[in-house]
Amino acid sequence: MVGLSKEAEYMEMFERIDKEEDGEVYVREVVEFLRVLDNNLEQSNEVNLLFMNYKREANNVLDFKKFTEIMDEIKEAGWTRFKPVDGQPMAEQDLKKVFKMVDMDGSGAISPLELKMAVKYLGKRYGMSDLKAWRAAMKEADNNKDGKLTYLEFQDAIKLAEKKMAEAGGE
């Protein structure tokens, strides 16, 4: 899977945080979003200091340019979006974080649009280039065939995808 450019990755993150779609986000929303991506925000003293400063600036509003500056600062301080997993099964805690992150409307179910983002995220997270296996597993796990996945259906889809990956030799 071809990785996103830094700007495209930042834009994707910014758009997911900017729920009002007004081109602005609060510092607190950025910190919360990053916490959902990786609960271990304090990965180094430098990262920890940055986040302590950001908490004091929680109500500051950021446009995309300021957002990219903050993200560059955070990455330069040593924060990484993901810990490498090398084909390990997805932990229950990670499943809950991913579900919460992609259930953007908070409905308790993942819609087809949210599902598309989940597949993209999971493909990147687990280095799986065959997104068809993820989509097939998610379709198979949709028990009531309503086109949405509840958390339990989502769990089943992940297990099915992991099984397909293992059967295909990790790919």
Side-chain angles (χ1 to χ4, degrees):
M1 179 172 177
V2 178
L4 293 175
S5 71
K6 180 176 77 169
E7 188 173 328
E9 179 184 7
Y10 286 175
M11 181 54 80
E12 181 182 331
M13 292 169 75
F14 187 83
E15 287 172 352
R16 290 169 99 172
I17 297 167
D18 184 18
K19 291 187 167 89
E20 296 86 26
E21 297 180 1
D22 60 1
E24 297 178 333
V25 296
Y26 287 99
V27 172
R28 70 174 176 275
E29 293 173 317
V30 174
V31 171
E32 179 56 31
F33 181 80
L34 296 175
R35 189 175 311 287
V36 169
L37 284 180
D38 184 355
N39 210 22
N40 181 26
L41 286 181
E42 292 79 21
Q43 297 177 6
S44 73
N45 286 338
E46 200 173 336
V47 172
N48 199 14
L49 285 172
L50 276 177
F51 279 104
M52 283 172 31
N53 288 335
Y54 295 145
K55 285 176 187 175
R56 284 194 288 270
E57 300 173 7
N59 291 321
N60 287 2
V61 176
L62 307 171
D63 60 12
F64 182 68
K65 185 176 185 294
K66 278 281 189 203
F67 172 78
T68 59
E69 290 169 11
I70 280 183
M71 287 306 300
D72 284 342
E73 264 184 358
I74 293 169
K75 283 189 170 185
E76 285 171 21
W79 182 81
T80 55
R81 188 167 172 176
F82 308 116
K83 296 178 211 86
V85 291
D86 294 333
Q88 297 171 8
M90 197 168 183
E92 180 71 22
Q93 181 182 355
D94 288 340
L95 273 175
K96 286 179 182 170
K97 284 196 286 190
V98 171
F99 187 85
K100 183 179 173 186
M101 183 174 64
V102 296
D103 181 20
M104 290 172 47
D105 62 5
S107 67
I110 298 176
S111 70
L113 176 62
E114 292 167 333
L115 184 62
K116 188 175 181 181
M117 287 189 291
V119 168
K120 194 173 179 181
Y121 171 83
L122 292 167
K124 187 186 295 182
R125 170 75 164 95
Y126 284 88
M128 186 172 141
S129 59
D130 183 11
L131 295 180
K132 289 178 187 165
W134 282 108
R135 287 190 184 104
M138 290 186 171
K139 199 171 196 174
E140 190 177 330
D142 183 11
N143 293 324
N144 60 2
K145 306 296 179 214
D146 65 351
K148 297 179 181 180
L149 294 182
T150 64
Y151 179 67
L152 292 175
E153 290 172 329
F154 182 71
Q155 280 181 303
D156 290 344
I158 299 301
K159 289 180 178 113
L160 286 165
E162 287 174 343
K163 184 179 175 192
K164 289 175 193 241
M165 280 176 58
E167 287 169 359
E171 184 62 37

